[in-house]
């Protein structure tokens, strides 16, 4: 069965960096793009962008250009999200979500990774 | 960016009742709309895609409708396990955007 398993919660200080992983299984990793979604505590969902898992090319929503980097370890069927120079407002749960192949509704989600930024 | 205005923000209903949640897009999204259910501490679960297609395994009491800029999610015969937050998402154009969510509680 298709699974997306994310890395565990992180506690970081402002200015530090964090890397979140999303390991896929149950399908051919390079056949489907991976998207990232942010959810601040008690808030709604915000689409961050996506990465083409075949070419490695990332596309970022405007609010996530600069400090956010999507990357791949294709041999390990893993997508990564790295956030640098962390700010308090980066405190959130980050989800990876897989596209369906025909369009970008998300039938498969990771369990989410909580990143807490606090001094 | 396409703005998704979701209403109501919260909803209280009784078991067995029918509830409707609405999303209005700031421009025509040509049925590029999905609905998700999210329970506390869990990831969103897909309910509806292409505005009115029921995702595999989702109970038939959930249905989606609409076109153009106006879309709705209907839950017939509300069950206790339907207590959750619900979000719409447009995937017609980048950046993909979500509604602010509707928190559904039991009366």
């Amino acid at each position: 069965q298709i699974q997306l398993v994310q890395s565990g919660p992180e506690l970081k200080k402002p200015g530090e960096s964090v890397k979140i992983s999303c390991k896929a299984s149950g399908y051919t990793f390079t056949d489907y793009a991976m998207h990232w979604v942010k959810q601040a505590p008690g808030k709604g969902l915000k689409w961050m962008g996506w990465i083409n898992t075949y070419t490695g090319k990332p596309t970022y929503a405007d609010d996530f250009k600069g400090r956010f980097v999507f990357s791949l370890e294709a041999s390990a069927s893993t997508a990564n999200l790295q956030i640098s120079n962390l700010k308090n407002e980066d405190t959130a749960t980050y989800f990876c979500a897989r596209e369906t192949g025909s369009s970008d509704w998300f039938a498969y989600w990771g369990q989410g990774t909580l990143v807490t930024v606090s001094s | 960016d396409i703005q998704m205005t979701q209403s109501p923000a919260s909803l209280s209903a009784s078991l067995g009742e029918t509830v409707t949640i609405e999303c209005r897009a700031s421009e025509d999204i040509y049925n590029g709309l999905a609905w998700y259910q999210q329970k506390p501490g869990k990831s969103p679960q897909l309910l509806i895609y292409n505005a009115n297609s029921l995702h595999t395994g989702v109970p038939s009491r959930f249905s989606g409708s609409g076109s153009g800029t106006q879309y709705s999610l209907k839950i017939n015969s509300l069950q206790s396990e339907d207590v959750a937050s619900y979000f719409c998402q447009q995937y017609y154009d980048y950046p993909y955007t979500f509604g602010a969510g509707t928190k559904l509680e039991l009366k």
Side-chain angles (χ1 to χ4, degrees):
Chain A
Q1 73 283 18
I2 294 167
Q3 281 191 302
L4 303 177
V5 179
Q6 297 184 227
S7 49
E10 302 271 6
L11 175 59
K12 295 289 184 181
K13 291 180 167 49
E16 293 184 338
S17 296
V18 68
K19 190 174 186 178
I20 300 164
S21 65
C22 170
K23 183 169 177 58
S25 61
Y27 70 97
T28 302
F29 180 70
T30 51
D31 281 354
Y32 300 90
M34 195 70 76
H35 295 246
W36 290 93
V37 176
K38 176 184 179 181
Q39 186 169 38
K43 301 295 186 183
L45 302 163
K46 189 161 188 177
W47 182 76
M48 301 174 67
W50 65 284
I51 185 164
N52 183 315
T53 54
Y54 186 75
T55 64
K57 181 185 178 210
T59 299
Y60 302 96
D62 284 348
D63 286 349
F64 299 98
K65 290 178 179 174
R67 299 187 297 113
F68 299 82
V69 175
F70 306 148
S71 64
L72 302 174
E73 296 169 52
S75 61
S77 299
T78 298
N80 301 306
L81 164 63
Q82 183 161 353
I83 311 172
S84 59
N85 189 21
L86 282 161
K87 305 178 187 305
N88 289 333
E89 53 264 36
D90 296 326
T91 294
T93 297
Y94 294 86
F95 295 98
C96 57
R98 202 205 78 173
E99 58 134 12
T100 62
S102 52
S103 193
D104 288 334
W105 60 84
F106 304 127
Y108 303 102
W109 293 72
Q111 83 276 19
T113 296
L114 175 62
V115 174
T116 303
V117 183
S118 174
S119 54
Chain B
D1 298 3
I2 298 175
Q3 307 303 317
M4 301 301 295
T5 303
Q6 186 172 341
S7 62
S10 63
L11 184 53
S12 183
S14 302
L15 291 174
E17 199 173 324
T18 295
V19 301
T20 300
I21 299 167
E22 299 191 338
C23 258
R24 185 181 78 249
S26 58
E27 60 184 83
D28 196 329
I29 57 172
Y30 299 93
N31 283 16
L33 185 102
W35 290 97
Y36 301 90
Q37 176 193 69
Q38 187 180 31
K39 297 183 178 180
K42 300 293 187 182
S43 53
Q45 299 295 305
L46 177 67
L47 299 173
I48 301 285
Y49 62 94
N50 287 347
N52 55 26
S53 296
L54 191 68
H55 180 53
T56 305
V58 174
S60 59
R61 64 179 181 274
F62 291 91
S63 63
S65 64
S67 63
T69 61
Q70 300 274 3
Y71 298 87
S72 60
L73 172 71
K74 187 163 79 169
I75 310 172
N76 287 317
S77 188
L78 188 70
Q79 305 295 302
S80 57
E81 59 264 33
D82 300 334
V83 170
S85 292
Y86 293 83
F87 296 92
C88 62
Q89 177 221 346
Q90 70 80 18
Y91 49 86
Y92 171 69
D93 195 16
Y94 291 144
Y96 297 156
T97 45
F98 291 86
T102 296
K103 188 171 184 179
L104 176 58
E105 298 174 328
L106 282 179
K107 193 180 292 183

